[in-house]
Amino acid sequence: MKNDKPSRINTVDFTNLPFGKIFTDHMVITRYSDKKWSDSEVVPYGPLELMPSISALHYGQTVFEGMKAFLSKDGSSTIYRPDAHSKRINKSLARLDMPELPEAVFMDSLQKLINTDAEWLKKAGQLYLRPFIFATDPYLGVKSSEQYIYALLACPVGPYYTKPLNLKVETTYSRSASGGVGFAKAAGNYAGSLYPTRLAQEAGFDQLIWTDSSTHSYIEESGTMNIMSIIDGTLVTPELSETILAGITRDSVLTLAREMGIKVEERKLKVAEIVDGLKSGKVTEVFGAGTAATIIRFASITEGENKFTLPDLGEKSIAQKIYDELNMIKKGEKADTHGWLKVIV
Ligand code: COI
């Protein structure tokens, strides 16, 4: 089952970890055929042998999750909200006409990989986990596959973003549309975002603020994260819809904010409300929330030709307070009153 080769762990600089480029020694693979999932196998992280005709490569039947494991203050290994990720991957799977992944199969894979590569978690303090499922029928007809692979990878990671972000409001291209797959964590959603994101990056921006596809006047989400704003002291975020990914960090942020006595509104959020609020000073913070991104401050927002900068509020920042609270829970430094952490035994 496991790697006979020596571990790569000693070749890694854990003080300077890029996001998503270094993988632990192992991965988990589970196969689906004849309408059932096989037992999962822990194998060395490495190439997969696949036919070039598999339908995932041609028609994009692929969904994934992004989640994290943490080393707790007491030395235990934990996974952050795996039940929520299990539910979400199944929503994505259903929309892409892919078979359900039972929660027990999902949990078993997490348990096995974290236990096998426990040393990596000890050294890194956290691992980014990437469960994904893709279609493997070697068939070029356009139809749902009958065979799939579920795989789980783990990466010791540093922050996805290392500095506050400069955002551009996107009004030409769309990430998702009514009736589409925007709410699902479907690989194709990310593929479609790459070209507009590259154009924005070439113009000096870090990320896009996606807007609704029909009027481009309502904020939906950003690339890699949900969007939150502080308007007159209230945390306002776009309400969930079929075109927005239901972020698990988003949910944690809203829960903690409410408990901290911050008023929270989940509702439609017009770009104009943010722009006017930035002009008048009513909007004091805008930030992103995501598993990889964690909570990241927006330094500026550009709409058309107009760039609005946001001050660094330091300790007064509501985003910073929520970030600190969430971080302490993840590291086991503060009681996990919501049962968000699943201890790996
Ligand atoms: C995550 O935050 O886990 C994501 O999936 C975003 C990105 C890295 C694709």
Side-chain angles (χ1 to χ4, degrees):
M1 142 180 121
K2 285 185 209 157
N3 199 353
D4 292 324
K5 287 189 272 181
S7 170
R8 285 178 278 106
I9 199 165
N10 291 327
T11 65
V12 174
D13 177 4
F14 282 88
T15 62
N16 185 23
L17 289 168
F19 178 87
K21 289 189 173 166
I22 298 165
F23 296 86
T24 62
D25 291 322
H26 298 90
M27 59 186 183
V28 178
I29 301 284
T30 311
R31 287 167 203 275
Y32 182 89
S33 63
D34 297 328
K35 300 197 186 306
K36 56 181 188 300
W37 290 99
S38 66
D39 287 342
S40 63
E41 250 191 296
V42 179
V43 297
Y45 171 78
L48 293 172
E49 193 172 306
L50 297 165
M51 298 308 276
S53 51
I54 61 168
S55 43
L57 294 178
H58 299 269
Y59 307 122
Q61 238 193 333
T62 302
V63 304
F64 71 97
E65 276 297 309
M67 42 197 299
K68 278 189 176 160
F70 293 95
L71 180 67
S72 242
K73 198 178 157 205
D74 65 7
S76 56
S77 302
T78 65
I79 303 178
Y80 188 69
R81 305 195 66 177
D83 47 342
H85 286 281
S86 169
K87 285 197 180 78
R88 192 172 67 179
I89 205 167
N90 277 306
K91 280 195 185 143
S92 303
L93 287 167
R95 178 61 183 84
L96 275 282
D97 201 26
M98 297 165 75
E100 184 194 357
L101 182 74
E103 186 167 336
V105 175
F106 187 69
M107 293 307 302
D108 175 64
S109 67
L110 294 165
Q111 179 108 10
K112 278 184 175 149
L113 192 57
I114 301 293
N115 277 332
T116 307
D117 286 340
E119 283 307 308
W120 289 80
L121 179 54
K122 273 201 194 118
K123 274 228 159 149
Q126 61 173 295
L127 295 176
Y128 180 77
L129 302 169
R130 172 52 62 87
F132 62 110
I133 302 169
F134 60 98
T136 55
D137 272 5
Y139 175 54
L140 295 186
V142 181
K143 81 179 254 298
S144 302
S145 185
E146 287 173 15
Q147 299 166 79
Y148 296 87
I149 288 181
Y150 162 54
L152 173 65
L153 312 177
C155 305
V157 285
Y160 194 86
Y161 298 111
T162 51
K163 61 169 187 50
L165 304 178
N166 296 298
L167 279 287
K168 177 197 156 192
V169 178
E170 178 58 61
T171 53
T172 302
Y173 299 99
S174 300
R175 176 187 167 275
S176 67
S178 178
V181 298
F183 70 88
K185 217 162 165 61
N189 286 334
Y190 294 79
S193 76
L194 298 177
Y195 175 64
T197 305
R198 179 168 64 76
L199 294 183
Q201 286 171 348
E202 283 171 0
F205 300 102
D206 299 303
Q207 261 299 347
L208 294 173
I209 292 179
W210 294 106
T211 53
D212 68 290
S213 64
S214 47
T215 68
H216 291 297
S217 56
Y218 290 95
I219 291 178
E220 299 222 304
E221 62 179 83
S222 183
T224 75
M225 56 204 160
N226 293 110
I227 293 181
M228 316 250 158
S229 58
I230 305 295
I231 309 179
D232 268 340
T234 297
L235 195 165
V236 183
T237 192
E239 66 192 5
L240 293 179
S241 72
E242 60 182 347
T243 55
I244 295 179
L245 184 80
I248 287 150
T249 304
R250 175 189 181 280
D251 180 73
S252 303
V253 167
L254 300 186
T255 303
L256 293 180
R258 288 186 176 106
E259 286 172 7
M260 290 161 84
I262 299 160
K263 194 172 159 214
V264 170
E265 289 178 6
E266 297 176 70
R267 59 169 169 83
K268 283 185 168 294
L269 180 57
K270 275 202 152 176
V271 175
E273 186 179 349
I274 293 293
V275 167
D276 291 347
L278 288 167
K279 283 185 193 154
S280 68
K282 275 173 97 172
V283 171
T284 47
E285 299 179 54
V286 185
F287 56 99
T291 298
T294 66
I295 292 174
I296 184 82
R297 183 170 88 74
F298 291 180
S300 74
I301 294 177
T302 299
E303 191 217 19
E305 296 301 306
N306 301 314
K307 178 175 181 174
F308 302 93
T309 54
L310 286 127
D312 180 358
L313 299 183
E315 283 181 2
K316 291 208 182 98
S317 155
I318 291 178
Q320 186 63 44
K321 285 186 187 132
I322 299 171
Y323 173 87
D324 290 343
E325 185 78 9
L326 187 54
N327 222 18
M328 285 192 287
I329 295 171
K330 287 173 176 172
K331 290 181 179 165
E333 292 167 1
K334 197 142 196 195
D336 171 27
T337 55
H338 307 91
W340 283 341
L341 296 171
K342 159 99 182 131
V343 179
I344 297 293
V345 284

